Amino acid sequence: MMGAFGHPAVVAAVRRVREPEGAMAASRRIAIAALVGALLLPVRAPASAQTIRPRPEPLDCTAATAEFGQAATWFGVFAGRRKTTFDWIETTSVTACFRTEKDCFNWLYWMQTDWPDWTFRIGCAKGQIPNGDPKWWSQRLGG
């Protein structure tokens, strides 16, 4: 006695489902090939901000001015706040030294990222520590 799945009509129906014909078969093969190709492509992680903009380590200002001279040292200042657990407010005020302008501005970028709530003192200057003097700020801002 033959089982139901061995009946010639059932076998023919299964074969038609498994083996589509014509344009439909071609489009399915293309879709499957595209899917397999996409899955086999190497996965590349998105670039992080750390690789785009490095986080430079500040230099000791006394050592930097002694080694490079005050006129060649970049000074950066930052003061800002951020909220912590339970919405507590944490405040920081930092003066840092760098060898290059790029390092100073990269450092400022990361300070603003880490302390985003209220930045109230920020700047980079070569040869002197940026301060609160309005003349100093207007000279740097083109005023």
Side-chain angles (χ1 to χ4, degrees):
M1 180 169 146
M2 212 183 325
F5 293 108
H7 192 276
V10 173
V11 171
V14 170
R15 210 174 270 148
R16 277 194 301 272
V17 170
R18 286 188 187 159
E19 300 171 9
E21 298 176 11
M24 194 172 191
S27 65
R28 278 190 185 166
R29 281 193 292 263
I30 291 170
I32 291 171
L35 179 63
V36 170
L39 293 175
L40 294 178
L41 287 174
V43 177
R44 185 173 169 184
S48 69
Q50 190 66 31
T51 59
I52 296 169
R53 186 181 293 263
R55 187 185 290 251
E57 195 65 36
L59 304 172
D60 175 75
C61 288
T62 305
T65 55
E67 184 178 345
F68 312 124
Q70 183 168 344
T73 301
W74 280 86
F75 294 86
V77 294
F78 178 85
R81 293 182 178 169
R82 66 181 171 197
K83 287 184 181 178
T84 62
T85 309
F86 307 115
D87 288 335
W88 292 6
I89 302 296
E90 190 175 32
T91 303
T92 189
S93 180
V94 183
T95 300
C97 291
F98 301 91
R99 181 72 178 119
T100 66
E101 177 184 24
K102 184 177 181 178
D103 282 348
C104 188
F105 281 102
N106 283 345
W107 174 79
L108 282 178
Y109 168 86
W110 285 106
M111 291 301 289
Q112 291 176 78
T113 301
D114 294 341
W115 301 85
D117 291 333
W118 185 34
T119 299
F120 50 91
R121 188 168 176 220
I122 186 169
C124 280
K126 188 174 184 179
Q128 62 180 332
I129 297 174
N131 58 38
D133 179 10
K135 291 179 185 173
W136 186 90
W137 290 107
S138 65
Q139 288 169 356
R140 270 113 196 114
L141 297 174

